[in-house]
Amino acid sequence: MIAVRLLCWLAFVHITGIYLFTRGFLLSRLALPNKSREEQEQWSRFATHKRAVLLVIDALRFDFVSDHPPDPPSPNHHNILTLPRELTAAYPQHSFIFNAYADPPTTTLQRIKGLSTGSLPTFVDIGESFSGSVIQEDSLLHQLGSSWTQGQFSGVAFVGDNTWLSLFPTFLDHNLSYPFDSFDVEDLHTVDSGNQWTLAIGHGLGVDHAGHRVGPDHPVMRAKLEQMNTFLGQLVRIIDEDTLLILLGDHGMDQTAGVLLFRRLPYPYPPKLLPKTTFPGERLPHRSIQQIDLVPTISLLLGLPIPFNNLGSIVPELFDRGDSNVNEALELNARQIKRYLDAYRASASGGELDVSDAPSDTRVSALFAFSRLSLSTCRLTLIGGGLLVMFTGIVASYALYTLLGNSGGDRKQKLEKIGALGSVASGFAYPLVRDYLDGVHAHHLILFGAALTSSLTLSLTCKPRFTFDIIKSTPVLLILHTLCFASNSFTIWEDHIVPFLCLTSLVPSVLIGFTAPTPRLRNRILGFSTLFAVCVRLMMLSTVCREEQHPNCTVTFYTSSTSSAPPVLALVLAPCHGRTTFWIFEWIHSMEWFGDVGNMWLRNGRTMVARVTVMLVIFAGLAFWSAIPVCLDIQRTERLKSSHFKSPDLDTQVTVTLLGFANAFGSPYLILWSIFLSVVWLCMQLTGQVVLGLFTVALLAYLEIVDSVRDVWGLYQAYSKGFASTTHPSNLNLDGLPLKREVQFSEIVPLALLATHAFYGTGHQPTIPALQWKTAFVLVSSVRFPYSQITVILNTLGPYFLAGLAAPLLALWNFPPFLPSSPSLPVSHQEDVVLSVLRSCLGLTTYFNSLLLGSAVFAAGLRRHLMVWKVFAPRYMFSALEMGALDMGVLVGVWGVWRTSAARKRGIEGDRRGGTVRNWSGEG
Amino acid sequence: MPPARARTKKVALSSTASESQRSFFPFFQYASVVGVHVILAGFTALYLPQSTRLFGPLPVRKTDRPQSEFMEALTARPAVTVAWTLAGLCVLQVWWGTWVRKWYFEQNAHGTSDEIKITRAKAKGVWFSRLREAVGFTLLATVVTHIVIVLFGAPLLSHLLQTGLLASTVAILTAFVPALVFGYPSLASDTPVNRLNWIRLFAELSPRNPVERIVVYPAVGTVVGAWVGAFPIPLDWDRPWQAWPLTPLYGSLAGYIIASLAALAVNSLKWLAQEQLRSVQPSTKYKSS
């Protein structure tokens, strides 16, 4: 199993490169344990309220509460949550509606962290979005907690999303905490009736769930918002004069809604301090703040110290009470930020932070200084190391790829040498260089050394020869695709670029198709090329537009951009079987035709269908495949010998016809592929299933094209040989030819592009909001640890996994099986098969590794770019995920090939004993 | 014609030296006509669409960076720009195609001077029917090109006029002249030579003599230029010239012009080499004997 070992090693190199780069590149902020400990009266001077109710409604967009919603207003989400604006109109001195900007990443966990600590969120935490870890930094709740122990304040009551509980397990008053997966109105009443709390937090997920499941343009959303409105009305009636009510959306699109409601102190508007922005589509601008600005504001309004790590600045108009309080509050805020930055600079990884020239009393300079943190030397070292590992990984796999193509006799022993050499040689160097590399840990260096030395060893052992052929076969399309990541526009429009490149990659085959010597080959190549092109174009019709593509893009994956129901066309087109039934059930469910009882039945029914299907496919399918891994049928006919065949020892002539022999490797492997296809199929939404079907058709068409093109080359070779040895070309039989079967890199490029195209076609974009969270509930009805994650991952990365799994098909499809009569040994033949498969797998990983390197290089190079966290960094992260999915698929694929060929060999040998094989025929 | 063409092909296969002695190619005439042709093509692309101003004022556009009057006329109404270019190219390519056809006959002419005259007269006699066939073939190529452009990602249902005009421009730049010169490739089995010739020229991309280079290079250049012309479309520069189908249109024209000049360069190099060979040959023969 050289191939499997080799691919495992390659996956290790990829993961090392990704790990090192990610550690260096992504903003992993140091959590300082410091707490703000100041004399209480300094802060309490600003206090205006005794209590606060922080009501967070997940994904509440600004236009939901705006008094001037975009024109035309949507009947399902505009002008429904009207209470805030009614109150603002009635009491303009007591209420305040604003736009709140949330920093990316806008996932719930990140926003909760930002809202409580006032710090910038980091990307590294995204992986923990399902299960948050305890916040150690100073936060609003920490301050409240420490004041509570001093007896000045009461506890914190909490209702709603249980992420809060996992983040602040100690500070929430457990007697007053009611964590629920979704928002329940009644329970907040019981909390409100009590009076022993200072801060009450409510976090409702209902709107977010409705938005994810059916989109904002759905009657469910209207019902949800109406419910919120009623609840808000009750809440406003209940709370007393001393209570500050903050209604907040934690993440929306760009701008979330925020409302502050005061019952007590009026405040004037100083107009010069107010930056205003307009929500897209609205007519009037509104006051806008950063979301984390609420942290110091609430702290001061409650008379609490501002949390130590806060980077937000206070909302000035709330402190403008005529006695120059604004300046004092701002000063306090600025001093706190300065203290934080000083502490950060003094800490281990703050060496590069140098803000001595800039007075850090403004938010801008603080943010600027903060962003400079990512430039520390340690990070640059890790970035460089990661990039180097990725690069040597590419060189090594390409060297191996060319070596396998050169088909030298000694390649086996060379492959044997590889695995061990590098990984031993590292580690020792660490003590020597530790002084020079500040902040780089030992395991980083060991990983780096292992990956680098083994890659270099492999490259040197393989000795790739740089000939004119390599220059001639420069993969122009791969270079173009990689260079796309240098520009934010090209990265944004990659979903249109990929099919363009994909069809371009087919042009050489089409030109060869025209020159094909026989009409059959010509028709096959041209016909299948047309089929492939049409499939690719049809896949392109399905898209979820990413934010930046508007207004030049219309969503077709769903019925509209604000809904998440499948379009009618997909409902009609989706073939009706178990996996599709699930999503049709889902659609009926969201249409709410059958009332509550029917819905419950539907809900259970669809989960059952999904589970049964998955079980059936995985277990029954794999069992079937491993039991009968050979797709051959043997027809044995006996007939009396005709008179002119005079042979003394035989009376009858036995003709054995093997059906499916020409594709003896390809067809059983395709069955294995289909098993995984059907699992991925289940995780796709209806439109995605249609696209996945087109992907499969395109893939099969492409395999036929590749096969026919190889036949054409083989015929040309045969002709040239035929002319040389003066045999007539018409005597040559196509099937008996030793055709050229080496996988070319230009044959791999369309497969890689097709996989990327399928990723976009199945309703994905390399952005975090585009993930289809809906698919987390395929196997289970609520988020449960492995199943939800697995289905989301399968949904997102399924096309890449399938492409990696399909890489062996390029080598196997119509691979001529050895003829038993020929003297060549079956053992070496089988090795040829595995090595040929390995070559095509290596080609595919090289392609995606180049993309990974490209996206990493440009993300690191453009880390000052405005779009880095919106475009480049997410693209890099998705490249890394793609790489992982691909490695996985390739590994499974090579395992499958090994099994198939072993079983096939056994089968053939068994048959050989059965009778004299005379006639090989048949198509796959 | 088929037997004669078959014979010339055989001759071309046999040896280059005999071909160079036999073939006559009006090089200086070719060079001057290519120059005029290229300049006229550029004029068609850039100055003919300026006359769009004659049909009413241009729509007022609000941009942060205003562009020149010249560019404004080109980008105001993309479909009109393409239509003007196409109209100009229609005239230009008929003129150019007639020249290429003339050189083709002169290159393939052989026999006594009377025979050449008869062939030329015959060719002139069928000029109009040839033109009709070439126009028909170009229309067919337009449809195919349109489909290909859509397959490569052009809008499926909207911008049909723009895509169609672009397709006809590309078709007239690639398919018209070869169809006029060599005759369109038919699928009928009675003229396999013509079809094989087309396959050799446009699928294998291996032209063998000056006239074939004159035809094949610009065709390839047009297609590559149109392909490259699609690149600037996604850039977020918000320039009016990024409108569909202006960039592929100008890309294809630029490719056509550059490839025409490349054909001129290759032809002149080969011609100079042949002249050199011809002038050196007697003396070497003398020396060797």
Side-chain angles (χ1 to χ4, degrees):
Chain A
M1 289 317 297
I2 290 173
V4 171
R5 275 214 307 277
L6 200 68
L7 287 174
C8 283
W9 165 79
L10 206 59
F12 160 72
V13 173
H14 294 157
I15 291 169
T16 308
I18 291 169
Y19 172 73
L20 290 178
F21 182 82
T22 310
R23 281 308 300 264
F25 177 65
L26 292 185
L27 196 64
S28 51
R29 198 168 35 81
L30 195 68
L32 294 180
N34 307 35
K35 304 275 186 288
S36 287
R37 304 232 177 277
E38 300 284 322
E39 56 277 26
Q40 198 65 46
E41 54 270 20
Q42 185 193 352
W43 306 94
S44 51
R45 279 189 298 141
F46 300 97
T48 56
H49 291 74
K50 282 185 186 153
R51 266 180 230 103
V53 175
L54 177 62
L55 189 59
V56 183
I57 298 180
D58 238 68
L60 186 70
R61 249 163 45 187
F62 181 71
D63 57 332
F64 289 8
V65 296
S66 165
D67 46 353
H68 298 286
D71 202 34
S74 156
N76 289 323
H77 58 262
H78 288 147
N79 300 327
I80 296 165
L81 194 59
T82 51
L83 192 81
R85 71 188 205 212
E86 283 163 12
L87 285 175
T88 309
Y91 311 100
Q93 304 283 294
H94 295 264
S95 170
F96 174 35
I97 296 183
F98 55 86
N99 266 333
Y101 279 88
D103 301 290
T106 54
T107 55
T108 300
L109 174 72
Q110 262 59 43
R111 293 326 315 155
I112 291 178
K113 279 192 177 175
L115 273 177
S116 54
T117 62
S119 58
L120 290 181
T122 60
F123 267 87
V124 187
D125 296 336
I126 290 175
E128 304 163 6
S129 189
F130 279 101
S131 56
S133 55
V134 178
I135 289 186
Q136 301 292 351
E137 292 172 277
D138 196 12
S139 71
L140 211 55
L141 278 84
H142 284 80
Q143 289 299 332
L144 208 58
S146 59
S147 310
W148 180 25
T149 51
Q150 291 161 20
Q152 288 165 330
F153 289 96
S154 313
V156 181
F158 172 73
V159 177
D161 186 8
N162 53 13
T163 312
W164 284 86
L165 270 191
S166 57
L167 290 176
F168 301 102
T170 50
F171 298 107
L172 300 176
D173 189 341
H174 284 275
N175 294 328
L176 292 170
S177 291
Y178 301 91
F180 289 107
D181 267 348
S182 75
F183 199 77
D184 197 338
V185 179
E186 297 305 316
D187 285 295
L188 203 62
H189 275 297
T190 59
V191 177
D192 285 330
S193 57
N195 224 357
Q196 58 278 54
W197 46 267
T198 302
L199 180 65
I201 299 168
H203 193 131
L205 290 175
V207 174
D208 194 27
H209 280 186
H212 275 310
R213 237 174 65 77
V214 292
D217 255 342
H218 196 279
V220 170
M221 184 60 94
R222 183 187 179 89
K224 207 77 213 168
L225 288 174
E226 275 168 356
Q227 189 189 5
M228 284 291 159
N229 203 35
T230 326
F231 164 65
L232 208 60
Q234 292 170 347
L235 189 63
V236 168
R237 269 197 300 280
I238 290 172
I239 58 177
D240 57 12
E241 290 264 303
D242 282 338
T243 307
L244 173 69
L245 174 63
I246 305 131
L247 175 70
L248 201 66
D250 68 337
H251 59 89
M253 283 163 39
D254 263 352
Q255 307 177 24
T256 59
V259 185
L260 281 170
L261 293 169
F262 296 84
R263 296 296 292 278
R264 214 168 120 209
L265 277 175
Y267 60 93
Y269 287 142
K272 60 181 172 142
L273 281 168
L274 307 182
K276 285 189 169 185
T277 54
T278 314
F279 189 80
E282 292 203 344
R283 294 186 294 276
L284 291 179
H286 281 85
R287 173 78 168 96
S288 73
I289 65 170
Q290 295 287 328
Q291 206 179 44
I292 55 173
D293 288 351
L294 284 174
V295 174
T297 310
I298 297 174
S299 294
L300 288 188
L301 288 180
L302 289 179
L304 289 169
I306 299 176
F308 187 80
N309 293 318
N310 166 56
L311 280 171
S313 60
I314 56 166
V315 181
E317 47 269 62
L318 302 183
F319 297 92
D320 192 13
R321 306 190 194 113
D323 48 351
S324 78
N325 252 346
V326 178
N327 284 341
E328 287 174 38
L330 276 175
E331 221 168 84
L332 210 58
N333 191 3
R335 256 188 280 135
Q336 170 264 324
I337 294 179
K338 180 87 168 64
R339 255 197 317 279
Y340 170 64
L341 292 177
D342 285 344
Y344 204 108
R345 199 182 300 125
S347 70
S349 66
E352 276 287 308
L353 178 66
D354 186 16
V355 284
S356 57
D357 51 341
S360 57
D361 54 359
T362 59
R363 185 187 151 71
V364 179
S365 77
L367 286 177
F368 171 65
F370 191 79
S371 71
R372 291 191 61 164
L373 286 178
S374 60
L375 191 62
S376 62
T377 45
C378 150
R379 296 217 164 84
L380 277 186
T381 316
L382 286 181
I383 287 177
L387 292 181
L388 195 63
V389 167
M390 285 180 203
F391 180 71
T392 51
I394 292 177
V395 170
S397 59
Y398 190 74
L400 196 63
Y401 170 82
T402 47
L403 176 82
L404 289 174
N406 289 339
S407 66
D410 53 344
R411 57 188 177 185
K412 188 187 166 195
Q413 72 177 60
K414 276 183 179 174
L415 289 185
E416 279 290 353
K417 279 192 211 168
I418 304 151
L421 228 148
S423 25
V424 188
S426 50
F428 296 108
Y430 181 65
L432 300 176
V433 292
R434 186 167 45 192
D435 297 339
Y436 302 103
L437 300 173
D438 196 20
V440 177
H441 295 294
H443 64 276
H444 292 157
L445 196 74
I446 289 173
L447 281 175
F448 173 74
L452 191 72
T453 46
S454 56
S455 309
L456 286 179
T457 317
L458 180 63
S459 312
L460 291 177
T461 332
C462 288
K463 286 198 203 86
R465 275 172 301 178
F466 289 99
T467 56
F468 182 65
D469 280 352
I470 291 181
I471 300 167
K472 211 170 65 181
S473 66
T474 309
V476 183
L477 295 179
L478 171 59
I479 293 170
L480 283 179
H481 194 179
T482 311
L483 287 181
C484 275
F485 303 135
S487 149
N488 58 328
S489 311
F490 286 139
T491 312
I492 288 168
W493 288 99
E494 199 195 351
D495 57 340
H496 283 63
I497 293 169
V498 164
F500 181 77
L501 295 180
C502 189
L503 286 188
T504 308
S505 68
L506 207 66
V507 169
S509 306
V510 173
L511 289 184
I512 288 172
F514 277 113
T515 67
T518 66
R520 180 176 165 273
L521 282 177
R522 183 168 61 232
N523 294 340
R524 279 173 71 88
I525 294 180
L526 296 183
F528 280 120
S529 298
T530 315
L531 181 64
F532 180 85
V534 168
C535 283
V536 167
R537 184 66 181 88
L538 289 179
M539 282 161 77
M540 199 177 163
L541 291 181
S542 146
T543 174
V544 283
C545 307
R546 59 188 284 170
E547 220 177 292
E548 296 87 352
Q549 286 181 340
H550 292 293
N552 294 319
C553 177
T554 42
V555 175
T556 49
F557 189 76
Y558 303 117
T559 36
S560 73
S561 60
T562 51
S563 159
S564 63
V568 182
L569 191 64
L571 276 177
V572 176
L573 282 180
C576 208
H577 50 81
R579 292 169 287 278
T580 309
T581 318
F582 170 83
W583 288 102
I584 292 184
F585 271 26
E586 205 272 351
W587 172 70
I588 296 171
H589 185 176
S590 64
M591 284 291 142
E592 310 215 315
W593 285 340
F594 297 114
D596 283 340
V597 182
N599 273 347
M600 206 182 71
W601 277 101
L602 276 175
R603 171 90 241 189
N604 293 338
R606 73 183 216 221
T607 312
M608 276 315 284
V609 168
R611 285 184 189 163
V612 167
T613 316
V614 165
M615 291 292 166
L616 205 67
V617 163
I618 291 183
F619 291 107
L622 280 178
F624 173 74
W625 179 77
S626 56
I628 316 170
V630 184
C631 286
L632 289 176
D633 191 26
I634 298 170
Q635 287 178 349
R636 185 188 166 108
T637 51
E638 296 184 16
R639 62 172 183 221
L640 280 175
K641 279 175 65 69
S642 47
S643 56
H644 55 269
F645 271 110
K646 293 244 189 290
S647 177
D649 52 345
L650 280 175
D651 290 337
T652 57
Q653 182 181 13
V654 182
T655 308
V656 177
T657 311
L658 273 172
L659 293 177
F661 184 70
N663 200 5
F665 293 100
S667 46
Y669 187 80
L670 187 67
I671 290 178
L672 175 70
W673 189 80
S674 330
I675 293 172
F676 288 98
L677 170 72
S678 48
V679 175
V680 174
W681 188 287
L682 171 72
C683 299
M684 290 289 174
Q685 301 194 30
L686 276 178
T687 320
Q689 292 185 344
V690 175
V691 171
L692 208 60
L694 287 170
F695 165 73
T696 313
V697 173
L699 181 72
L700 291 176
Y702 181 63
L703 290 175
E704 288 295 339
I705 296 170
V706 169
D707 178 49
S708 303
V709 168
R710 283 179 193 158
D711 281 351
V712 171
W713 285 120
L715 273 183
Y716 280 151
Q717 276 185 344
Y719 279 152
S720 56
K721 277 181 194 160
F723 282 129
S725 60
T726 66
T727 52
H728 199 266
S730 64
N731 288 342
L732 290 166
N733 184 8
L734 235 171
D735 292 332
L737 280 178
L739 298 183
K740 198 181 171 216
R741 282 293 173 180
E742 284 299 351
V743 178
Q744 309 289 318
F745 194 76
S746 58
E747 295 168 356
I748 291 164
V749 173
L751 178 64
L753 287 166
L754 189 66
T756 318
H757 187 37
F759 169 77
Y760 284 109
T762 49
H764 299 98
Q765 286 286 344
T767 56
I768 288 154
L771 287 178
Q772 297 173 13
W773 295 115
K774 206 179 185 179
T775 51
F777 307 102
V778 170
L779 291 180
V780 286
S781 47
S782 64
V783 177
R784 213 158 351 125
F785 165 60
Y787 305 108
S788 302
Q789 279 90 333
I790 285 175
T791 44
V792 172
I793 287 171
L794 272 178
N795 171 272
T796 311
L797 300 174
Y800 294 106
F801 179 74
L802 287 178
L805 203 61
L809 275 176
L810 275 183
L812 291 180
W813 200 250
N814 284 348
F815 191 91
F818 66 93
L819 293 175
S821 54
S822 67
S824 67
L825 291 171
V827 178
S828 75
H829 186 84
Q830 184 187 336
E831 217 158 72
D832 271 359
V833 175
V834 173
L835 289 182
S836 181
V837 164
L838 180 62
R839 189 173 141 90
S840 85
C841 293
L842 281 174
L844 197 65
T845 47
T846 308
Y847 189 98
F848 278 95
N849 206 356
S850 309
L851 290 192
L852 175 67
L853 179 68
S855 60
V857 164
F858 293 122
L862 298 168
R863 64 186 178 284
R864 290 275 166 277
H865 195 281
L866 190 67
M867 291 285 199
V868 66
W869 297 115
K870 261 196 134 158
V871 175
F872 298 113
R875 188 64 187 86
Y876 159 72
M877 284 188 285
F878 273 82
S879 295
L881 293 176
E882 286 161 16
M883 196 70 242
L886 205 80
D887 278 336
M888 191 80 188
V890 162
L891 270 172
V892 174
V894 168
W895 169 78
V897 169
W898 173 72
R899 244 199 86 73
T900 316
S901 61
R904 196 197 49 85
K905 197 180 73 181
R906 279 199 307 275
I908 295 283
E909 275 169 358
D911 290 334
R912 280 177 75 186
R913 286 190 288 276
T916 319
V917 179
R918 285 281 168 82
N919 185 13
W920 304 97
S921 70
E923 284 293 312
Chain B
M1 262 316 100
R5 207 172 294 127
R7 215 178 321 147
T8 55
K9 199 183 164 205
K10 225 176 241 169
V11 171
L13 270 173
S14 60
S15 79
T16 49
S18 68
E19 181 205 10
S20 69
Q21 277 174 1
R22 180 193 50 77
S23 75
F24 163 74
F25 189 70
F27 185 78
F28 294 107
Q29 193 181 45
Y30 161 62
S32 53
V33 173
V34 163
V36 174
H37 175 57
V38 161
I39 289 168
L40 282 179
F43 174 82
T44 306
L46 295 177
Y47 287 92
L48 210 53
Q50 301 289 332
S51 50
T52 184
R53 251 183 259 275
L54 301 177
F55 302 91
L58 301 176
V60 181
R61 197 197 298 271
K62 268 172 64 184
T63 46
D64 46 346
R65 282 177 297 168
Q67 51 178 1
S68 65
E69 287 276 301
F70 181 80
M71 286 295 284
E72 192 59 41
L74 289 184
T75 56
R77 302 185 195 96
V80 176
T81 306
V82 191
W84 271 119
T85 314
L86 181 63
L89 286 177
C90 283
V91 179
L92 194 63
Q93 290 303 91
V94 172
W95 172 76
W96 167 248
T98 313
W99 273 111
V100 181
R101 189 167 139 84
K102 179 167 167 284
W103 299 326
Y104 179 66
F105 275 109
E106 285 178 2
Q107 178 183 275
N108 289 351
H110 51 89
T112 64
S113 59
D114 285 346
E115 276 175 12
I116 292 175
K117 273 180 190 163
I118 290 169
T119 321
R120 196 176 296 159
K122 266 187 192 167
K124 275 188 181 160
V126 296
W127 181 83
F128 190 71
S129 66
R130 258 303 169 70
L131 181 68
R132 220 171 40 207
E133 287 169 7
V135 168
F137 182 70
T138 310
L139 287 179
L140 184 71
T142 302
V143 175
V144 174
T145 316
H146 188 110
I147 293 171
V148 169
I149 292 174
V150 168
L151 282 179
F152 270 74
L156 193 62
L157 296 175
S158 63
H159 297 79
L160 277 181
L161 179 65
Q162 281 92 334
T163 312
L165 287 171
L166 174 69
S168 24
T169 311
V170 172
I172 207 168
L173 287 178
T174 53
F176 177 75
V177 175
L180 191 67
V181 174
F182 307 124
Y184 68 93
S186 80
L187 289 174
S189 56
D190 55 337
T191 55
V193 177
N194 202 9
R195 197 179 66 219
L196 288 179
N197 219 16
W198 275 75
I199 287 175
R200 175 173 61 81
L201 290 182
F202 293 102
E204 293 175 15
L205 302 177
S206 53
R208 289 198 185 119
N209 53 46
V211 170
E212 288 179 352
R213 262 174 234 123
I214 291 171
V215 171
V216 171
Y217 278 36
V220 175
T222 307
V223 173
V224 172
W227 184 77
V228 173
F231 288 12
I233 297 176
L235 289 171
D236 59 351
W237 298 346
D238 274 340
R239 305 314 299 152
W241 53 260
Q242 283 176 297
W244 179 254
L246 292 182
T247 48
L249 172 77
Y250 286 100
S252 62
L253 277 162
Y256 182 84
I257 289 172
I258 290 169
S260 291
L261 296 177
L264 176 65
V266 172
N267 279 339
S268 359
L269 277 179
K270 295 237 174 186
W271 182 74
L272 285 175
Q274 272 181 13
E275 290 294 304
Q276 176 74 10
L277 219 64
R278 205 174 291 165
S279 65
V280 167
Q281 239 168 13
S283 60
T284 49
K285 207 180 268 176
Y286 177 72
K287 258 183 199 167
S288 66
S289 65

